[in-house]
Amino acid sequence: TQSRSSAASDVYKRQVYNKGSLSLYALDNYLGSEVFDKAIKALIHEFAFQSNPYPTSLDFIEYLYQFSPKDMHYFIDDHINKITIYKTKINTATYERDKDLKYQADITLDINKFYSNEKGKETLVEMDDLIEIGIYNSKDKELHLEKVKLTKGENKLSFKLKRKPKYIVIDPYYHIITKDFEIVQKEFSKLTKE
């Protein structure tokens, strides 16, 4: 069996080596293609046809900060400058049909955010982060997709839907890195009146 420190080191290695493409994908989604395009155009404009010094990833990151809203700078930090890991769990997912024939979906979930160092040591940190939530029907069709602000610990969410939900997924498109590299989902149960 693997020792605890060896297992932590393996998690760190997976984070580092798999992070690049995931981070760019997430940044494009969360900051928007317009911010990404502006950053790339500014980088090309500054360094086109130039010899040494050549641009580095740090130059591109500076342009991302410049063109993105300040309230999203944490997202750039978490994906570029830090090793950020989330631990998520859906506690309850219920729905009921209202008098307007719409569905009220109520969810409670737990989420925690950790920063990891080069030895795999994780530190629990405060969070007020946008996390994408997806709700799907029995045919796996997306009924609702939204980035919602979540804080450390338990969060309660409610959504109004036109169709009956089957299951909910936290981060369905892999924009954040979770501790076990897994998608967290839960089936809805119908709320019964007592």
Side-chain angles (χ1 to χ4, degrees), residues 104-143:
Q104 170 80 27
D106 294 309
I107 299 103
T108 60
L109 60 87
D110 283 321
I111 186 164
N112 286 300
K113 176 176 165 178
F114 301 85
Y115 291 145
S116 179
N117 68 15
E118 65 280 356
K119 295 189 177 178
K121 183 178 185 314
E122 296 169 1
T123 304
L124 180 64
V125 296
E126 293 296 325
M127 64 175 284
D128 187 20
D129 296 7
L130 282 174
I131 304 290
E132 202 162 56
I133 302 291
I135 299 176
Y136 301 84
N137 68 11
S138 59
K139 296 181 180 176
D140 297 326
K141 183 179 178 196
E142 193 174 272
L143 301 178

